[in-house]
Amino acid sequence: MKRKLAAAIVIAGMMVSVSACGGDDGDEGNAGPDSFKGQTLTVWAMDGSTPDQWVTDVSAAFEKKTGAKVKFETQKWDGIQQKITTALSESTPPDVIEVGNTQTPAYAATGGLAELDDLKKEIGADWTPSVSQSSVYDGKQYAAPWYFTSRVVIYNKKIWAQAGIKDVPKTRDEFFKDLETIDKKTDAEPIYLPGQNWYFFDGLTIGQGADLVKKEGDKYVSNLGDPKVSKAMEIYKKYASYSQAPKDKDEATPQQAEVFAKGKTGAFIGMGWEAATAVNANKAIEKDLGYFPIPGETADKPESVFLGGSNLAVAAGSKKQALAKEFLRIALSDQYEGQLAKLNGVIPNKKALESNLKGNLVAEAIAPGASVGGTTPLIPEWGAVENNPNPIKSYMTSVLNGKSPAEAAQQVEDEINKRLAQQN
């Protein structure tokens, strides 16, 4: 989430391995306000995650309840994995850390994060299951879900009107029909979809009930050859058939929002902040922007999406465990979780708080996908798979260039398995 927009926040970085030592419980179990007076809790939050008003209000509530102060230290996403890895291995780590949701298993696997099962029972009964799953590793709660976002269809209302389309599609087949109509009735490219927008593909695999890995004995191996994964790739291929985008590039090469900003593309599938990128490239397109959830197979459920976001975790080495949990109780309360959603346009950790998104058109379009979304495999070994060159991207390009999904999978599965076997 490197960039902040009232619409959304960019997804977190990939998993990395963590080396950390556990600390003692410090003031755990001694939660009376008097015991916290004079203490300062250190919180690492990423750039763009904590609006000024939210920080002010949470800090005041924290000090009123505990008598302690909270010190927010803003971090940059660039290089954060190594920085957190180092911090968790030291004797005085930050007490509370914002971590990307897909990072959490890697940090938890090596003992860097404190268990939060008690906190989950206390305040997490109604966390949305799909967004909470990344906080769990090996059956235990090692973080708390904080905020999330995902991809949405950003479309050019002017082009759709030129094609005679009056309503946004509610099903995948309706969407394909609309793209066909745009292709026949306008000079516009129906959709811009590069061959390697692999997080969109990951959402399609989730929608097919598939996983990108499977367990064989005591190790994980590629599941790319699964017929369900093949079906997801065939759906992707049909979307791509309406696009002139390069088959061997991702959405950042070139920036798809800047291509869309030229006003000659009907739609693209992207993050909420990419709408701002388009407007920055061409102010005139702002009046033509529209948004809708990626349509699913049936009208009653949108397409599954990759949920990128952040969790809040307590460092295992923190000497202020009880105080850190007091902070989480406040930050994750309905009041301040709702406030964050309203100010930053991100999806909160429980469905009941999505009312805070009202009036934010991008966030309103993103929210329906939260309950049917998911992530990449939540195992520490997965991080290496996404390193460049990403074999999943190679697989996608091969399929779009004519190979069957099964053939394309065979080409890259050895490399995926090699990466999954790397020691963390």
Side-chain angles (χ1 to χ4, degrees), residues 28 61 64 115 125 141 179 190 203 207 224 284 298 303 308 313 330 358 378 409:
E28 185 69 52
K64 180 178 180 180
E115 290 184 27
Q141 197 81 27
L179 296 177
L224 210 57
T298 59
E303 184 61 78
I330 292 170
K358 188 174 182 179
L378 293 170

Side-chain angles (χ1 to χ4, degrees), residues 193-214:
L193 181 65
Q196 298 182 346
N197 188 340
W198 100 267
Y199 282 115
F200 172 45
F201 167 64
D202 183 59
L204 295 176
T205 66
I206 295 167
Q208 292 301 311
D211 203 344
L212 295 173
V213 298
K214 60 184 177 181

